[in-house]
Amino acid sequence: MSWGKGRIWFNGKFVDWKDAQVHLMTHALHYGSSVFEGIRCYNTKKGPAIFRLDEHVKRLLGSAKIYRMTDERINLKTLRQVCIDVVRENKFQSCYIRPIIWRGYGGIGLNPFNCPIEIAVAAWEWGAYLGKDALEKGVNVRVASWNRAAPNTYPTLAKAGGNYINSQLVKMEAVLDGYDEGIVLDSNGYVSEGSGENLFVVKDGGIFTPPSSAAILPGITRHSVIQIARDLGYEVVKKQVPREALYIADELFFTGTAAEVTPIASVDKIPVGEGKRGPITARIQEYFFEVVAATREDKFGWLTFV
Ligand code: PPE
């Protein structure tokens, strides 16, 4: 594990992990004013490859734009290069890359315009997000007692630090109750997503996932899985998912950069299908892991070799 070690690109230069520090009065610490990304870099026989780098950087730029955090130093070309440089600098074969833009130390109070825009990119080796056996056996989840916020409150198309305070309520509740993860409903009571993952439902051979209007982060893994599933000949439909559809689904799985493609074995103690990874989930997982390992043709141009 490389967590706590290595070098971090911090406001324009590389510093040692321990030196990447901010002031107590950093605006983002008090008010959640940060936007960030999570990107995976995979080990392939042609060297490390970053998965969907441009899409992640574009989403970061979009998040920054929504929160009026744009800055002349921050653009697609520079940021994508910095992500590549961080992998190189640390000599990683595979890792998780975390770019973050935040409002720094410049004054207190809700008006953030006097605080400087700061930017950093860290990386570390990060294994299976939901535990060692999760990818094979699936995870046990509960529906959260918390909802996602209504659409005109916290914009979910922005991957903002502040949004994750809701995700933490969902995750803590799940963990304290002995579950691996929580599924959260939107403000209309329809299924939204996991605390840090999108959700897919398989029913009678069709595949469904909540639409972007269901307070989801429109995941890049979600987008990739839709393309994979269609390439495998499945029909994928984005539509509202009622809670009870989770209980009668044939298969359910999470997608996310950290979670990759993780099967769900049970929801609220009701087994999903046979209570183990289903065949369609397995096919999609296999395709996904072959693409990122570069053992299958990268027909969608998803890999950036470092
Ligand atoms: N929804 C949420 C709320 C979310 O945080 C993520 C990613 C996704 C969906 C999936 O999006 P994508 O990674 O583009 O497929 N969650 C990130 C943070 C995890 C963390 O604990 O930190 C991630 O997977 O990197």
Side-chain angles (χ1 to χ4, degrees), residues 155-212:
T156 59
L157 304 197
K159 192 170 167 66
N163 291 0
Y164 285 82
I165 206 76
N166 174 267
S167 282
Q168 288 175 61
L169 291 170
V170 171
K171 187 74 185 192
M172 289 189 292
E173 179 183 67
V175 168
L176 289 173
D177 285 353
Y179 295 89
D180 301 304
E181 183 56 287
I183 292 174
V184 61
L185 307 180
D186 69 14
S187 58
N188 296 312
Y190 290 99
V191 173
S192 177
E193 57 179 357
S195 74
E197 310 87 359
N198 292 118
L199 181 104
F200 283 81
V201 178
V202 180
K203 178 74 177 168
D204 298 330
I207 303 179
F208 306 89
T209 192
S212 52

Side-chain angles (χ1 to χ4, degrees), residues 36-40 51 56 59 96-98 124 126 129 148 156 159 163-164 167 171 184 193-199 215-224 255-260:
F36 67 101
E37 271 306 317
I39 312 173
R40 272 197 194 265
F51 186 66
H56 280 285
R59 188 171 67 188
Y96 181 90
I97 307 167
R98 168 57 55 83
W124 61 93
W126 203 0
Y129 185 59
R148 281 291 192 232
T156 59
K159 192 170 167 66
N163 291 0
Y164 285 82
S167 282
K171 187 74 185 192
V184 61
E193 57 179 357
S195 74
E197 310 87 359
N198 292 118
L199 181 104
I216 64 163
L217 177 76
I220 291 163
T221 321
R222 171 179 176 271
H223 182 263
S224 312
T255 65
T257 299
E260 299 169 306

Side-chain angles (χ1 to χ4, degrees), residues 139-146 170 173-174 177-185 189 191 199 242-248 252 254 264-272:
V139 290
N140 298 306
V141 308
R142 62 163 286 169
V143 173
S145 66
W146 297 96
V170 171
E173 179 183 67
D177 285 353
Y179 295 89
D180 301 304
E181 183 56 287
I183 292 174
V184 61
L185 307 180
V191 173
L199 181 104
R243 172 178 182 162
E244 64 275 21
L246 303 173
Y247 304 138
I248 55 172
L252 295 176
F254 282 132
I264 299 173
S266 70
V267 180
D268 295 335
K269 305 212 156 112
I270 300 177
V272 179

Side-chain angles (χ1 to χ4, degrees), residues 1-198:
M1 265 286 284
S2 64
W3 175 261
K5 296 188 209 118
R7 308 263 290 163
I8 294 175
W9 187 91
F10 197 81
N11 278 323
K13 59 176 199 292
F14 279 101
V15 299
D16 286 341
W17 183 286
K18 64 174 182 356
D19 297 324
Q21 305 218 11
V22 297
H23 194 272
L24 172 67
M25 289 301 164
T26 293
H27 197 269
L29 181 61
H30 297 251
Y31 307 120
S33 36
S34 65
V35 293
F36 67 101
E37 271 306 317
I39 312 173
R40 272 197 194 265
C41 174
Y42 287 93
N43 186 11
T44 80
K45 50 182 190 313
K46 287 186 274 169
I50 302 176
F51 186 66
R52 306 208 68 176
L53 176 58
D54 281 26
E55 289 82 358
H56 280 285
V57 173
K58 282 181 190 157
R59 188 171 67 188
L60 181 65
L61 295 171
S63 300
K65 193 172 181 188
I66 290 169
Y67 282 103
R68 303 173 197 275
M69 289 166 67
T70 50
D71 181 292
E72 72 277 0
R73 292 170 305 160
I74 301 168
N75 58 56
L76 178 64
K77 194 165 167 267
T78 336
L79 278 179
R80 78 189 298 286
Q81 190 56 50
V82 172
C83 290
I84 294 169
D85 291 346
V86 168
V87 178
R88 284 192 186 140
E89 176 83 12
N90 288 288
K91 300 187 171 62
F92 285 131
Q93 288 308 310
S94 64
C95 62
Y96 181 90
I97 307 167
R98 168 57 55 83
I100 179 162
I101 301 172
W102 70 98
R103 294 198 187 269
Y105 165 49
I108 207 76
L110 270 295
N111 177 353
F113 290 128
N114 291 324
C115 299
I117 303 293
E118 307 215 57
I119 172 156
V121 181
W124 61 93
E125 286 158 326
W126 203 0
Y129 185 59
L130 293 171
K132 256 213 199 107
D133 298 333
L135 294 171
E136 209 190 304
K137 298 217 169 89
V139 290
N140 298 306
V141 308
R142 62 163 286 169
V143 173
S145 66
W146 297 96
N147 282 9
R148 281 291 192 232
N152 56 345
T153 57
Y154 302 91
T156 59
L157 304 197
K159 192 170 167 66
N163 291 0
Y164 285 82
I165 206 76
N166 174 267
S167 282
Q168 288 175 61
L169 291 170
V170 171
K171 187 74 185 192
M172 289 189 292
E173 179 183 67
V175 168
L176 289 173
D177 285 353
Y179 295 89
D180 301 304
E181 183 56 287
I183 292 174
V184 61
L185 307 180
D186 69 14
S187 58
N188 296 312
Y190 290 99
V191 173
S192 177
E193 57 179 357
S195 74
E197 310 87 359
N198 292 118

